[in-house]
């Protein structure tokens, strides 16, 4: 049995002291100190989804135990954020913007 590399993820800083998260669909890691990068495992070479909301360096992330909705918890020195990954992708597809506090979508007119 051989192992085949699916892709390489490069970040602008060393990840040796950062926790990454992975489930059967996504891999998440700090992408730029205060931003998380979310890659779909079947599209690992594509540009990642960026989750912005922390003010401090993201130090940990983990997925919830349920398959749906896919919840991601991220932590930094400032606070913990729980992201609904499906809602974030839905917002991108519909062109809506994301309300960072609860991962819900809103249109520009709703702001």
């Amino acid at each position: 049995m051989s192992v085949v590399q699916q892709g390489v993820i490069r970040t602008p800083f060393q990840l040796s002291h950062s926790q990454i998260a992975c489930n059967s669909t996504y891999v998440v890691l700090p992408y730029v100190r205060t931003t998380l990068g979310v890659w779909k495992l079947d599209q690992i070479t594509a540009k990642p989804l960026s989750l912005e909301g922390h003010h401090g360096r993201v130090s940990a992330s983990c997925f919830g135990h349920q398959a749906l909705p896919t919840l991601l918890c991220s932590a930094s020195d400032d606070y913990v954020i729980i992201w609904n990954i499906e809602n974030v992708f839905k917002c991108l597809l519909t062109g809506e913007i994301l309300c960072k506090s609860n991962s819900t979508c809103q249109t520009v007119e709703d702001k």
Side-chain angles (χ1 to χ4, degrees):
M1 184 169 109
S2 63
V3 177
V4 177
Q5 178 178 310
Q6 295 298 312
V8 175
I9 298 172
R10 299 197 188 282
T11 61
F13 59 94
Q14 196 173 37
L15 288 173
S16 60
H17 298 290
S18 297
Q19 181 182 4
I20 65 171
C22 187
N23 67 10
S24 61
T25 308
Y26 305 104
V27 62
V28 176
L29 52 98
Y31 188 51
V32 181
R33 302 242 181 239
T34 61
T35 302
L36 288 165
V38 180
W39 286 264
K40 288 186 176 182
L41 291 174
D42 62 351
Q43 301 171 1
I44 200 73
T45 57
K47 183 178 176 186
L49 167 70
S50 293
L51 298 178
E52 300 175 2
H54 289 286
H55 299 290
R57 185 180 69 82
V58 176
S59 57
S61 59
C62 69
F63 283 101
H65 295 286
Q66 295 179 351
L68 292 173
T70 303
L71 299 178
L72 173 71
C73 181
S74 61
S76 70
D77 289 339
D78 52 2
Y79 41 79
V80 172
I81 299 176
I82 300 173
W83 307 90
N84 182 324
I85 300 300
E86 275 78 24
N87 277 358
V88 174
F89 276 107
K90 182 186 127 213
C91 290
L92 286 175
L93 290 174
T94 61
E96 295 177 290
I97 60 170
L98 182 69
C99 179
K100 294 177 185 174
S101 62
N102 60 4
S103 297
T104 58
C105 299
Q106 58 183 207
T107 61
V108 176
E109 294 82 32
D110 294 337
K111 267 193 99 175

